Structures are given as C-alpha cells and as structure tokens.
Amino acid sequence: MSKFDFKRKYLIIYLCLIIFDAFLMLCRWLEHIVPNVRLLPDFLLDHITNFALCMLLLLIFGITVLSFGGKFRGITAAALVMSALNIGYECFIPIRNTPDILDAVFGVIGVAIAYVFLMLLRKNGLIAK
C-alpha cells in the first residue's frame, strides 16, 4: 500500500515526461520503419534512445520508491550507478557497441533530468495518505 499521493501538478509533469520519452522513442523507431520520415535531426536520433531509456528507468524507479515512502538515498544511489554504468559501457566496453561518448552524455543528461524532477517531487509534491 502506498504511503503518499502526488500533487496534481507533479503528476501532470510526470506524465508529460513519460509522453515526451515515448515520443522520442517513436521518432527513433519510425526512422527504422519508414526511412524517409525524420521527425528529429539525425544527430539527435543517433543518441536519443540512451537519453529516453535512462530517463524513463529512473523516473519509474524513483516515483515508485517515493510513493511507498522509501528513502531518497536509494534514488540517488540508483542515479549514480546508472550514470557510472552508462559511461563505463558507452566508453570502455565494446560488447555489441562501438564506444560513443555522446551516447554516455545523453544518458547522463536523461538521468539528471529525472533526478531533478524527483528531487522537486519529494520536496514539494508528496501528499501523505
């Protein structure tokens, strides 16, 4: 049973971030289905998957932890681990991957955006049940 609800404003922002991530992923996948349709520049399409997946993963994990009354230290640890693994994999581990520092940067930016939102949600957006 969750211990907290969320203020409507923060819930709307959360849903907008999820929809934004879905739109970015759709743009990427649409490029593979219909090659002549490009909704975003190629530079963004090359790195947007890492950004969207990292942001989405931390958003879902963080909102779940916060709603059940978990400690924010867990979210911080998850964000740091995700960022470190992202940088390590994208820069140093060439398994099914070519080293790409920009992918790592986009992933860390996605984690940072989600982390800032979760900090604001924890500070201002929780309503005790």
Side-chain angles (χ1 to χ4, degrees):
M1 185 87 166
S2 67
K3 294 182 178 182
F4 295 99
D5 279 332
F6 307 106
K7 289 183 181 176
R8 177 171 277 140
K9 176 174 81 170
Y10 287 93
L11 190 57
I12 290 170
I13 294 170
Y14 174 74
L15 293 174
C16 287
L17 287 171
I18 298 291
I19 290 169
F20 177 66
D21 272 349
F23 171 74
L24 292 175
M25 294 303 292
L26 178 67
C27 290
R28 177 72 174 152
W29 293 333
L30 188 62
E31 174 196 11
H32 293 294
I33 297 169
V34 185
N36 294 331
V37 175
R38 296 240 190 313
L39 299 176
L40 294 172
D42 285 341
F43 172 74
L44 289 177
L45 286 175
D46 291 340
H47 308 290
I48 211 66
T49 303
N50 206 0
F51 170 84
L53 290 176
C54 289
M55 187 164 121
L56 186 65
L57 185 62
L58 189 61
L59 281 173
I60 292 170
F61 174 74
I63 206 158
T64 303
V65 167
L66 290 176
S67 70
F68 287 102
K71 301 287 183 188
F72 200 75
R73 282 181 277 145
I75 297 170
T76 302
L80 291 173
V81 167
M82 283 177 62
S83 296
L85 289 175
N86 192 4
I87 291 169
Y89 178 72
E90 290 295 341
C91 296
F92 305 114
I93 304 173
I95 300 171
R96 294 191 47 129
N97 190 24
T98 57
D100 188 358
I101 188 71
L102 282 176
D103 261 355
V105 169
F106 271 71
V108 170
I109 291 170
V111 168
I113 290 170
Y115 186 78
V116 167
F117 168 75
L118 292 168
M119 278 184 7
L120 293 172
L121 175 66
R122 180 187 63 123
K123 184 177 179 184
N124 303 318
L126 296 178
I127 302 170
K129 283 187 171 181

